[in-house]
Amino acid sequence: MALRYFVVLALLFGSFFVCIVPPFQVADEFNHFYRAWQVSDGILLGVRTADNRLGGDLPVSVAKITQVFRSLPFQPNNRIKSNIIFHNLSVPLEADKQIFVDFSNTAIYAPMAYAPQVVAISIGKFLKMPPLSIFYFARFLTLLFWLSMVYAALRLMPIKRTLFSALALLPSSLFINASASGDVLTNACSFFVIALFVKMITEKKRLPQNILLTRLGLIFFISGIISLNKLAYFPLVFLIFLIDKHHFNGLKNKLIVAFVLIFSNLAIIAFWAKTTSPQYIKFEDYDPVFRVGQQLNEGVDPFLQLAFIARHPLVFTKIAAYSLLKSLPHTVIHYVGKFGWEKNYLPIPIIVLLLLMLFIQATIKEKHARFAREKERIGGSSFGQSPKNEPTLLSFSRAKRAIDLSNYETSANLYENVEILTEPTSLSIKAKFGFLGVFILMTFSFAAAMYALWCPVGSNFIDNLGGKYFIPIYPLLLLALPTFEKSKSRVLRFLAQQNVLFAVLCVSLLWSVCQVVWRYYDF
């Protein structure tokens, strides 16, 4: 049921966001679209000019349509008429007329981050579509890619499927992932690799060799993409240590695979850092005529900042902890319900209600989905139910009697259904501590990245700890929370119902659509 809710709501409201959010009003969407267009031309690295500018040559028409919408970000009183958008949809491409465009913050992004957008732009250029039409097509194709990856992740999840469906459907999440942002692919891959790790961590039965190799291949490939796109998410690979050693035929093999995974990801990070480091231009060195609006801050030097962190690790840890705690309320609000560049939020009561329902879903014990399906298929109260003071899971003999009553005559069916009853419905304590540890590592890794790229050297506070960056991080914390039996409170039991959760999400998404229309459009 959670999968159906996810597909319907994600496709419906995601399509709404694709269409009604004015062009380039998702954070950094201007520069992400520029970079995606550059990659579609086969240029894998941003171009640094002799006069210290960073970007690339793009069609004049692409630069022209973006300028129309630059008056909206950070200007909450500015709005746009819908006929302006329709007018710009008719601007012809004229791909041969080029101009150099600055996009210094995204020029260093890896090309892989824009795979869905590049496909859409390439198709649009082949069909000679107008550039703004190509932009909307890129948004929609990117949404479909994200939806497909998250759907695959939810199919893999053996536990907390409802929780992860709700996380993907949070208004802020859907707003970002229905855009042309380069973060969409990273978000989708992160959801998938987390689900794959959870699947393997909870597997009791030793995996066949072909399935193990397939899953490990996926982990190596997708984690490599994540590390290439966002080095702050690299610590996800440490989840491999939580997989039981019997899947690898011993501890030695497990450690070999784990260290190969870690060092291959580190090699990818080092390669891309070395490739792009000559391109970086400090604020002070950037061409003064073009540096306004390039999201460059005075005093920022990533190399000196990383050296400062290395020399003063305890000082940085204190700065990071203080900044993360002080920014936490805003970060959580951004994570749940923020739209656009400025402070455009869902009402606080809706945000609080969504947070409460997510917390309930994270901490409530759940019956295994396969267990529930088998119980429903077999029918009757004799299968899966037990008198008071007896364990909830059936003993082998009771399971056999229940299966026999349902005409499960073969030994293969018997053992299959007994195995269903003994599958875990939550992570072990060890696994929960592991997820908590990786959550902490990713949080501080992200803080270090923001400190290096955004803050003056030696700054005592880290800015820009936005909630959108925590989309792949907070799920780890929720998986690490302890689980309890259903509360005796009628209110909490009501809020724990799946239908109630998705009804609230539907209302919050509908409110979000209305709020976006009210914020951006002049009628």
Side-chain angles (χ1 to χ4, degrees):
M1 186 63 73
L3 282 171
R4 294 176 186 173
Y5 277 128
F6 167 74
V7 172
V8 171
L9 294 180
L11 192 55
L12 176 63
F13 287 100
S15 299
F16 281 159
F17 283 135
V18 165
C19 297
I20 68 168
V21 177
F24 315 108
Q25 298 314 302
V26 177
D28 297 329
E29 201 172 17
F30 289 105
N31 289 356
H32 281 302
F33 185 62
Y34 292 153
R35 175 64 172 144
W37 196 289
Q38 181 184 53
V39 175
S40 75
D41 287 336
I43 302 171
L44 303 184
L45 289 174
V47 177
R48 177 172 177 168
T49 64
D51 55 347
N52 279 346
R53 296 172 63 189
L54 184 58
D57 290 316
L58 301 176
V60 173
S61 58
V62 172
K64 179 180 178 181
I65 62 165
T66 58
Q67 293 306 316
V68 177
F69 304 98
R70 286 196 178 274
S71 62
L72 293 176
F74 304 113
Q75 302 295 330
N77 295 323
N78 288 358
R79 288 171 171 77
I80 194 168
K81 291 185 178 294
S82 57
N83 63 343
I84 294 177
I85 297 177
F86 288 112
H87 173 74
N88 280 275
L89 282 170
S90 63
V91 173
L93 177 56
E94 297 180 329
D96 55 327
K97 297 180 181 180
Q98 302 267 315
I99 188 174
F100 189 88
V101 179
D102 297 81
F103 43 98
S104 60
N105 64 324
T106 59
I108 59 175
Y109 267 58
M112 184 63 73
Y114 299 99
Q117 296 93 322
V118 168
V119 171
I121 293 170
S122 299
I123 294 172
K125 289 192 296 186
F126 177 76
L127 298 176
K128 295 183 167 50
M129 295 167 59
L132 193 56
S133 297
I134 294 175
F135 169 79
Y136 278 109
F137 184 41
R139 270 187 177 180
F140 187 70
L141 204 62
T142 305
L143 170 68
L144 290 183
F145 171 83
W146 172 82
L147 192 153
S148 301
M149 287 290 290
V150 175
Y151 178 80
L154 294 175
R155 289 292 302 269
L156 279 172
M157 285 293 291
I159 59 173
K160 299 300 178 186
R161 185 177 288 178
T162 300
L163 171 65
F164 268 64
S165 299
L167 292 176
L169 288 171
L170 287 174
S172 283
S173 169
L174 205 51
F175 182 84
I176 292 168
N177 293 311
S179 75
S181 170
D183 295 330
V184 178
L185 182 139
T186 307
N187 292 339
C189 289
S190 298
F191 255 71
F192 184 86
V193 83
I194 290 171
L196 188 52
F197 273 123
V198 172
K199 177 73 171 175
M200 295 185 71
I201 290 166
T202 56
E203 291 272 22
K204 286 189 173 181
K205 187 177 179 181
R206 183 176 173 181
L207 294 172
Q209 191 74 7
N210 60 330
I211 294 178
L212 176 64
L213 292 176
T214 300
R215 291 184 181 177
L216 288 177
L218 285 171
I219 288 173
F220 270 80
F221 178 67
I222 296 177
S223 66
I225 292 175
I226 295 170
S227 295
L228 184 64
N229 295 344
K230 288 278 188 186
L231 62 87
Y233 301 153
F234 157 74
L236 276 173
V237 299
F238 290 107
L239 291 174
I240 197 168
F241 288 110
L242 301 178
I243 301 174
D244 199 292
K245 64 183 179 182
H246 74 264
H247 291 307
F248 301 91
N249 197 26
L251 180 61
K252 180 180 177 181
N253 290 338
K254 173 183 172 178
L255 292 177
I256 291 173
V257 172
F259 284 112
V260 170
L261 176 65
I262 291 168
F263 286 111
S264 63
N265 276 262
L266 287 174
I268 289 171
I269 292 171
F271 164 76
W272 191 247
K274 184 176 181 180
T275 302
T276 57
S277 59
Q279 293 182 303
Y280 180 78
I281 307 173
K282 295 187 293 184
F283 175 87
E284 291 78 8
D285 298 332
Y286 209 94
D287 188 323
V289 178
F290 298 97
R291 71 185 176 193
V292 176
Q294 287 306 304
Q295 301 190 46
L296 297 171
N297 295 335
E298 293 186 62
V300 174
D301 188 322
F303 308 105
L304 292 179
Q305 193 77 289
L306 291 173
F308 174 84
I309 294 173
R311 290 197 307 269
H312 309 285
L314 295 180
V315 173
F316 168 72
T317 302
K318 182 179 178 181
I319 292 170
Y322 172 75
S323 302
L324 288 163
L325 288 174
K326 189 174 178 62
S327 304
L328 183 61
H330 295 290
T331 301
V332 172
I333 291 172
H334 292 187
Y335 177 76
V336 176
K338 179 180 183 290
F339 316 106
W341 299 74
E342 67 279 335
K343 296 179 180 180
N344 185 25
Y345 308 132
L346 277 176
I348 294 300
I350 294 180
I351 291 176
V352 171
L353 178 60
L354 285 171
L355 288 171
L356 175 61
M357 298 182 80
L358 291 175
F359 179 79
I360 292 171
Q361 288 295 327
T363 56
I364 194 171
K365 283 188 177 178
E366 58 185 1
K367 289 183 179 179
H368 198 283
R370 290 176 64 202
F371 175 88
R373 286 197 298 270
E374 286 300 313
K375 177 182 174 182
E376 182 179 351
R377 187 174 69 169
I378 293 173
S381 60
S382 62
F383 189 79
Q385 296 184 5
S386 56
K388 292 181 179 179
N389 303 321
E390 287 189 21
T392 302
L393 293 180
L394 298 175
S395 64
F396 183 91
S397 59
R398 292 191 65 220
K400 184 178 184 303
R401 287 199 301 273
I403 294 166
D404 288 341
L405 288 172
S406 303
N407 297 320
Y408 280 74
E409 297 175 351
T410 66
S411 58
N413 282 333
L414 170 61
Y415 287 107
E416 178 187 352
N417 284 276
V418 170
E419 183 185 342
I420 289 171
L421 296 177
T422 58
E423 283 193 67
T425 58
S426 63
L427 294 167
S428 66
I429 298 296
K430 175 186 173 182
K432 286 181 180 292
F433 274 108
F435 276 94
L436 180 62
V438 174
F439 162 77
I440 294 171
L441 282 174
M442 286 184 70
T443 301
F444 276 85
S445 176
F446 163 66
M450 288 295 101
Y451 194 55
L453 296 172
W454 195 256
C455 304
V457 177
S459 174
N460 59 6
F461 190 79
I462 304 174
D463 294 317
N464 202 29
L465 296 174
K468 68 174 184 174
Y469 301 111
F470 284 84
I471 288 176
I473 298 177
Y474 279 149
L476 301 174
L477 176 62
L478 293 172
L479 286 172
L481 293 177
T483 54
F484 307 96
E485 297 294 341
K486 284 188 178 181
S487 171
K488 295 182 179 180
S489 167
R490 291 183 179 180
V491 174
L492 293 181
R493 288 206 308 272
F494 176 76
L495 294 177
Q497 295 181 47
Q498 189 180 87
N499 290 339
V500 175
L501 171 64
F502 286 105
V504 171
L505 279 167
C506 186
V507 171
S508 68
L509 287 166
L510 185 59
W511 191 303
S512 304
V513 170
C514 295
Q515 187 162 331
V516 166
V517 172
W518 177 84
R519 158 61 183 91
Y520 287 111
Y521 289 94
D522 182 14
F523 296 100

